[in-house]
Amino acid sequence: MKNSNNFLPLSILIIDDEPNIAKTFRIFLTSLGHRVEIELNIHSGFAKLEDELFDVIFLDIRLGMENGMEWIQKIHSHSPNSKIIMITAYPGMQEAIECIKSGAFDFLSKPFNPDLVTKTLERIVEIKKLENEVKKLKSSDDSKFDHLDVESQNPKMVRVISIAKQVANADTTVLLLGPSGTGKTTLARSIHEWSGRKNFPFSVVSCPTLNPELLESELFGHVKGSFTGAFKDNIGRVAHCDQGTLFLDEVGDLPTNIQAKLLRFLQEKEYERLGESRTRTADVRIITATNQDLEELVKIGKFREDLYYRIKVFPIELVSLKERKEDILSISAKLLRSLSKQNKKMILDFSDEAKDFVVNYDWPGNIRELRNSIERAVILCNQSFISKEDLSEKTMNVGNRLKIGDNVSLDEIKDAHIMAILLNSKSVKEASDILKIDQATLWRFRQKHNLN
């Protein structure tokens, strides 16, 4: 099984009060390529589940005065995705039946038959693969790769995709650069899908969207009561993405205290949860992205120089949409199919005028702005074809009517620019940073122009 190209290593917890048997069993399971930990009593074993996620739990039926079967439901309620395999030195058919009825995945007797154990784990590997596929389907839709046409006709973008595929399996840190809306999140997800980590979690954390305390908790986790509002433990995205990929979007907005923790994690794979002194480890690939000039942030003291060089091991710069006009129609067609399906409409194509518009407009918000405009057009459209008029009136006004040098007032130009930035930013904070206008002013502007 270990040499198979489809091998999926499992995280395994053995709960058995016989140390020698447990250690021997761990050696065998480790030789198959799995990650294995041991606990010698049910209470420490259950506590272990507070800290870590396990694919498989080998649980002895008789643990001193405790009956392992009585803990099956408790374990399932706390760790529903774990497969529990009951083990015993005193096998009996009725006991095996009761274990399965109680929710155990299987029942094995001591001494262990290596072939039987191997086949049981192979079954679990196949089940886990299917479960991972189901999770992917549930957590994604047809728009998963909307933002990135991997069959680009643009030479620069073809080069970007080629480099991304090459670095996917290198397991190094990657820094994605480029203007907002160019598809950095989707490229990060693609790198994960092309890598050997694709069967494990991929998660996105947008650094500007949370305050420093919540961001630290989101990344590294916290224990109950560690701060106001921490009503229960949180394992954090780092633990969740063990053996997978964590994408930190807009890493330039990372607070300096968290920068230090991230640097340590990148160098040593170690971290602590908020409110806890215990040092933990995780095997997580980090991909970061920014549309800011990190070198400038280093110069003014807002970004650590050592962290900058640590995440800049492999920089990849994405291309703005106006530089890859040969891709706009194919990206638009893909978005139209996806968004029509989402909105339960049968829209076949764009009119010739609409095609001319989407190709010739500069799309300052890049693919994000294109997607937003097409989504609005799909909602407005009552025909089989998207017309030029269906494409957002706001986009038409901002993109076509008002240009520097037009015979309009300065206030009109200013309002159009603010509107364009707001419509194509991920958050009011991002727009505030770009425009150098405080967020309260932008909230009032949104209300005035019905952009809520």
Side-chain angles (χ1 to χ4, degrees):
M1 182 168 65
K2 187 177 179 180
N3 294 325
S4 168
N5 290 330
N6 294 318
F7 173 69
L8 178 68
L10 299 170
S11 55
I12 298 174
L13 176 63
I14 301 170
I15 305 176
D16 192 332
D17 59 357
E18 298 183 76
N20 292 334
I21 292 177
K23 289 176 183 176
T24 302
F25 195 28
R26 177 170 62 183
I27 291 170
F28 171 68
L29 296 174
T30 303
S31 73
L32 297 177
H34 303 296
R35 181 176 69 82
V36 186
E37 297 198 30
I38 294 173
E39 291 296 336
L40 299 178
N41 66 75
I42 187 62
H43 297 287
S44 63
F46 192 75
K48 192 80 170 175
L49 299 178
E50 296 277 350
D51 300 330
E52 298 182 47
L53 301 174
F54 291 93
D55 299 312
V56 183
I57 299 170
F58 284 95
L59 176 60
D60 197 357
I61 290 180
R62 299 182 185 181
L63 292 160
M65 302 298 292
E66 298 281 356
N67 184 341
M69 276 199 291
E70 295 176 356
W71 286 80
I72 294 176
Q73 289 302 319
K74 293 179 185 178
I75 292 173
H76 266 314
S77 64
H78 195 78
S79 186
N81 295 321
S82 298
K83 304 291 185 281
I84 301 173
I85 300 175
M86 303 303 295
I87 53 178
T88 183
Y90 311 97
M93 182 57 70
Q94 188 58 40
E95 197 170 39
I97 292 171
E98 289 300 319
C99 287
I100 303 301
K101 281 184 177 180
S102 297
F105 177 81
D106 209 339
F107 180 93
L108 295 175
S109 59
K110 304 175 187 177
F112 300 111
N113 180 319
D115 290 338
L116 186 58
V117 171
T118 301
K119 287 177 181 178
T120 300
L121 293 179
E122 285 175 342
R123 284 167 51 212
I124 292 175
V125 165
E126 293 306 313
I127 291 169
K128 294 297 291 185
K129 286 179 183 176
L130 290 173
E131 289 175 346
N132 287 339
E133 288 302 315
V134 170
K135 285 179 184 177
K136 286 182 184 179
L137 290 172
K138 285 183 177 179
S139 64
S140 63
D141 54 27
D142 291 340
S143 66
K144 178 178 176 182
F145 291 102
D146 278 347
H147 293 183
L148 184 68
D149 186 348
V150 294
E151 300 299 327
S152 175
Q153 299 301 308
N154 177 268
K156 290 183 181 178
M157 201 62 199
V158 169
R159 175 67 175 158
V160 165
I161 295 166
S162 174
I163 291 172
K165 286 182 177 179
Q166 286 179 276
V167 77
N169 278 311
D171 217 28
T172 187
T173 53
V174 176
L175 173 61
L176 303 180
L177 303 166
S180 179
T182 48
K184 294 187 286 293
T185 299
T186 306
L187 183 56
R189 188 184 294 275
S190 299
I191 291 171
H192 172 75
E193 292 292 329
W194 294 326
S195 76
R197 296 175 179 265
K198 65 180 180 180
N199 291 316
F200 296 94
F202 172 86
S203 192
V204 180
V205 174
S206 180
C207 297
T209 59
L210 297 170
N211 68 47
E213 188 175 65
L214 290 178
L215 179 57
E216 184 174 357
S217 167
E218 186 69 13
L219 287 173
F220 300 107
H222 67 254
V223 296
K224 180 179 177 181
S226 56
F227 58 88
T228 303
F231 299 117
K232 61 180 182 179
D233 289 356
N234 172 26
I235 67 169
R237 298 293 184 95
V238 166
H240 171 73
C241 290
D242 193 17
Q243 300 183 70
T245 305
L246 178 59
F247 174 55
L248 302 180
D249 196 15
E250 299 306 337
V251 71
D253 288 304
L254 205 62
T256 51
N257 65 309
I258 304 179
Q259 289 178 30
K261 294 193 76 169
L262 176 61
L263 177 64
R264 178 191 171 208
F265 179 73
L266 285 169
Q267 291 175 336
E268 302 171 17
K269 300 296 184 183
E270 293 183 346
Y271 68 100
E272 288 86 28
R273 294 179 185 169
L274 274 173
E276 185 180 66
S277 58
R278 175 183 169 186
T279 298
R280 301 173 183 274
T281 61
D283 175 19
V284 180
R285 185 195 198 159
I286 301 293
I287 299 177
T288 62
T290 185
N291 59 10
Q292 301 183 64
D293 185 342
L294 290 184
E295 285 192 34
E296 184 60 29
L297 292 181
V298 169
K299 289 177 183 176
I300 63 177
K302 288 190 175 181
F303 202 84
R304 292 179 63 112
E305 185 175 19
D306 45 6
L307 178 60
Y308 170 60
Y309 287 113
R310 189 65 184 77
I311 65 174
K312 197 193 171 186
V313 175
F314 209 102
I316 300 177
E317 186 155 7
L318 278 78
V319 183
S320 67
L321 194 55
K322 69 179 180 181
E323 294 180 83
R324 47 185 299 215
K325 287 188 177 291
E326 59 268 73
D327 291 336
I328 290 178
L329 287 181
S330 63
I331 295 173
S332 299
K334 188 175 181 181
L335 287 166
L336 179 61
R337 287 194 300 271
S338 172
L339 293 167
S340 296
K341 183 178 179 181
Q342 284 181 33
N343 288 279
K344 298 179 174 57
K345 290 198 172 185
M346 289 291 291
I347 302 176
L348 303 177
D349 202 351
F350 298 88
S351 71
D352 289 341
E353 281 191 336
K355 288 180 180 178
D356 287 342
F357 170 73
V358 296
V359 170
N360 293 317
Y361 178 55
D362 276 348
W363 301 110
N366 292 292
I367 303 171
R368 184 184 298 121
E369 183 184 5
L370 175 64
R371 187 190 191 284
N372 291 344
S373 296
I374 293 174
E375 183 171 18
R376 288 190 290 261
V378 166
I379 293 169
L380 293 171
C381 182
N382 295 311
Q383 308 171 72
S384 298
F385 290 82
I386 296 287
S387 69
K388 183 178 178 181
E389 290 70 31
D390 290 325
L391 287 161
S392 172
E393 183 180 343
K394 291 168 186 170
T395 301
M396 301 290 288
N397 287 342
V398 173
N400 279 3
R401 286 216 316 251
L402 298 182
K403 297 183 178 66
I404 302 299
D406 283 353
N407 189 24
V408 295
S409 70
L410 186 60
D411 282 343
E412 287 179 275
I413 289 286
K414 182 182 74 173
D415 285 354
H417 179 63
I418 293 172
M419 187 178 292
I421 297 298
L422 275 170
L423 287 171
N424 300 298
S425 297
K426 289 185 291 186
S427 65
V428 173
K429 183 182 184 305
E430 180 181 308
S432 172
D433 291 341
I434 294 169
L435 293 165
K436 309 302 182 195
I437 296 175
D438 66 86
Q439 294 185 46
T441 300
L442 289 180
W443 279 112
R444 289 193 293 272
F445 183 92
R446 283 161 56 98
Q447 291 177 323
K448 176 183 176 181
H449 294 275
N450 195 28
L451 298 178
N452 295 316

